[in-house]
Amino acid sequence: MTATPAHTALWPAPHARGAVDATVHVPGSKSVTNRALVLASLASEPGWLRRPLRSRDTLLMAGALRALGVGIEETVSSNSSPAGAGTPTGPGEAWRVIPSTLHGPATVDVGNAGTVMRFLPPVATLADGPVRFDGDPRAYERPLHGVIDALRALGARIDDEGRGALPLTVHGGGGLDGGPVEIDASSSSQFVSALLLSAPRFNQGVEVRHTGSSLPSMPHIRMTVDMLRAVGAQVDTPESGGEPNVWRVTPGALLGRDLTIEPDLSNAQPFLAAALVTAGTVVIPDWPERTTQPGDRLREIFTEMGGSCELTERGLEFTGSGAVHGIDVDLGEVGELTPGIAAVAALADSPSTLRGVAHLRLHETDRLAALTKEINELGGDVTETADGLHIRPRRLHGGIFHTYDDHRMATAGAILGLAVDGVQIENVATTAKTLPDFPQLWAGMLGN
């Protein structure tokens, strides 16, 4: 008998029989882990990353940096040792990153990871030799022109046969002059972050000027800036008194750091949604008091939709009230939260309008079209707008929820399955992109 391929297998989404009451330890942030890997690889001394996320996207990033000559050693420690003793303190996994002279020839598999395909071409300009970038078929469709055009303007040689997308080869010359550059980053804030992360190693640093329309996912740019400053980079931003839409990074050495990765707050979304939908309580330990992660906005959004939350010594305690309300909200800065919010909105007691997320058509899949189709095929009433979704709650029924190899589509389907019996999710394994062992975490939350 032939096994069913993972990408076509159907996962029966567990149906909640009552209010959830659980503590869920969410793995580390993908966005922080991959930025930290890049910065540690460009530092002038070794550094530690503690509690890093081990998922497809982060393992692709680590593998790519290793291919360029960086040493990344994985350590599992169950002991406690004095700081500076050469091993991590306390239990858990840590990665020791040992910078080295970057070199080609090398081949980088980006999978379908936006951070890998966008953050590493600037790093590759610092390598000595050619670096080829390739990835999943969907990665060929995702915009990369902002990074390619900017690097060419800064003096890099890149072969992409005019596609402005993968596959491509960066011909590294061991360095890059850098300097001022204009880009249109309206399709992805990662274009800006990509240039800023490598800029301290450019001879003149960089001055990035965004010339397009509104810039999505600004919290991710603020995350990049905060992490650069934490390793010793000098960064001028619009928030620090600089020009609007202009970021300047001064050239200089980066420090090796000992960094503990925060939990991925966006990946906490389905578990918080479970508390909201079932009128239960979920605790997420180690929720930071201050963070640049977009997922922190869930506290505000899900409270408006009917829950309540409190930061305590246990972590973030979130409780559903028994009612789920519709919402009219601009998600332009936190677009990655849209699938989970759309799922909750489909179960609400009043309509919702999600705005400011036209750029989601260029994510892992066209998320606006996918959410509309899949929720409507379960009996919903969702319409696409120019920049988002309008959702009118209706009684839903079971059926197959397709994921399009998109991890956030899979978790959105799981949220719907809590309240709708008979939902079957195609390829729940795609959640491994950023949230390993999601089915086990989900079952554990429900006490299954």
Side-chain angles (χ1 to χ4, degrees):
M1 181 175 177
T2 304
T4 303
H7 67 279
T8 58
L10 297 178
W11 179 66
H15 186 61
R17 303 301 174 186
V20 301
D21 184 4
T23 297
V24 180
H25 291 267
V26 176
S29 164
K30 177 206 72 174
S31 298
V32 174
T33 298
N34 274 357
R35 283 166 173 77
L37 280 169
V38 172
L39 292 173
S41 298
L42 298 177
S44 58
E45 57 192 347
W48 285 103
L49 273 62
R50 306 185 192 278
R51 299 183 192 169
L53 174 66
R54 285 183 56 88
S55 72
R56 187 183 186 215
D57 280 16
T58 61
L59 294 175
L60 285 167
M61 179 67 85
L65 291 166
R66 287 188 180 112
L68 294 172
V70 177
I72 302 176
E73 301 173 351
E74 301 185 26
T75 305
V76 178
S77 171
S78 58
N79 67 311
S80 182
S81 59
T87 57
T89 56
E93 184 169 7
W95 291 351
R96 188 168 189 249
V97 182
I98 305 166
S100 179
T101 301
L102 303 176
H103 62 75
T107 299
V108 169
D109 176 10
V110 310
N112 192 17
T115 51
V116 182
M117 73 179 71
R118 291 164 182 154
F119 292 177
L120 289 192
V123 175
T125 68
L126 305 173
D128 185 10
V131 181
R132 177 170 172 78
F133 289 82
D134 209 337
D136 297 353
R138 171 62 181 174
Y140 288 20
E141 303 172 18
R142 299 185 67 182
L144 197 52
H145 55 85
V147 175
I148 295 170
D149 294 346
L151 290 175
R152 283 187 177 136
L154 296 172
R157 184 160 71 94
I158 301 174
D159 292 337
D160 69 337
E161 299 180 357
R163 285 182 298 268
L166 292 173
L168 59 85
T169 299
V170 177
H171 294 275
L176 196 67
D177 281 342
V181 66
E182 294 186 349
I183 64 169
D184 180 353
S186 53
S187 60
S188 176
S189 69
Q190 289 177 352
F191 295 168
V192 174
S193 288
L195 297 169
L196 300 185
L197 286 167
S198 291
R201 291 284 301 273
F202 297 167
N203 295 335
Q204 301 176 41
V206 78
E207 176 188 284
V208 179
R209 185 179 299 269
H210 167 60
T211 60
S213 56
S214 61
L215 193 56
S217 304
M218 275 297 297
H220 279 121
I221 296 180
R222 288 193 283 269
M223 176 187 292
T224 298
V225 169
D226 278 9
M227 293 184 69
L228 275 161
R229 287 172 173 163
V231 295
Q234 181 179 328
V235 188
D236 295 324
T237 70
E239 292 89 350
S240 60
E243 295 179 61
N245 292 325
V246 176
W247 294 262
R248 295 184 180 89
V249 180
T250 302
L254 298 179
L255 306 173
R257 274 204 63 196
D258 187 322
L259 176 67
T260 299
I261 307 296
E262 298 174 353
D264 193 313
L265 306 188
S266 295
N267 277 341
Q269 181 181 41
F271 306 103
L272 300 180
L276 184 57
V277 168
T278 69
T281 297
V282 167
V283 178
I284 308 292
D286 302 315
W287 193 287
E289 289 188 20
R290 177 192 173 275
T291 182
T292 52
Q293 287 193 61
D296 193 46
R297 187 137 172 243
L298 287 167
R299 293 194 284 170
E300 168 198 338
I301 293 170
F302 278 173
T303 295
E304 187 174 343
M305 295 187 82
S308 62
C309 65
E310 182 182 6
L311 269 177
T312 70
E313 291 182 357
R314 298 174 62 201
L316 181 72
E317 297 186 17
F318 188 87
T319 301
S321 64
V324 180
H325 308 309
I327 192 170
D328 186 329
V329 62
D330 188 328
L331 299 175
E333 290 203 346
V334 293
E336 66 194 47
L337 304 180
T338 302
I341 293 169
V344 173
L347 303 171
D349 57 15
S350 57
S352 294
T353 301
L354 313 184
R355 295 177 283 105
V357 287
H359 61 285
L360 294 190
R361 295 188 170 98
L362 302 171
H363 275 220
E364 280 83 344
T365 187
D366 179 341
R367 285 178 170 165
L368 300 185
L371 286 164
T372 300
K373 179 177 182 294
E374 297 309 314
I375 295 174
N376 285 351
E377 288 195 353
L378 299 182
D381 184 1
V382 181
T383 52
E384 280 191 63
T385 64
D387 71 339
L389 299 172
H390 187 63
I391 302 167
R392 302 171 189 83
R394 292 176 58 179
R395 184 176 181 84
L396 303 181
H397 55 73
I400 296 174
F401 192 92
H402 300 90
T403 62
Y404 310 89
D405 295 325
D406 185 337
H407 56 131
R408 299 207 192 279
M409 286 295 295
T411 53
I415 293 168
L416 291 170
L418 291 173
V420 182
D421 212 351
V423 174
Q424 298 182 79
I425 297 175
E426 173 208 44
N427 188 18
V428 74
T430 195
T431 53
K433 185 178 194 293
T434 61
L435 188 52
D437 303 320
F438 170 73
Q440 292 87 344
L441 285 169
W442 199 245
M445 173 192 71
L446 294 168
N448 296 346

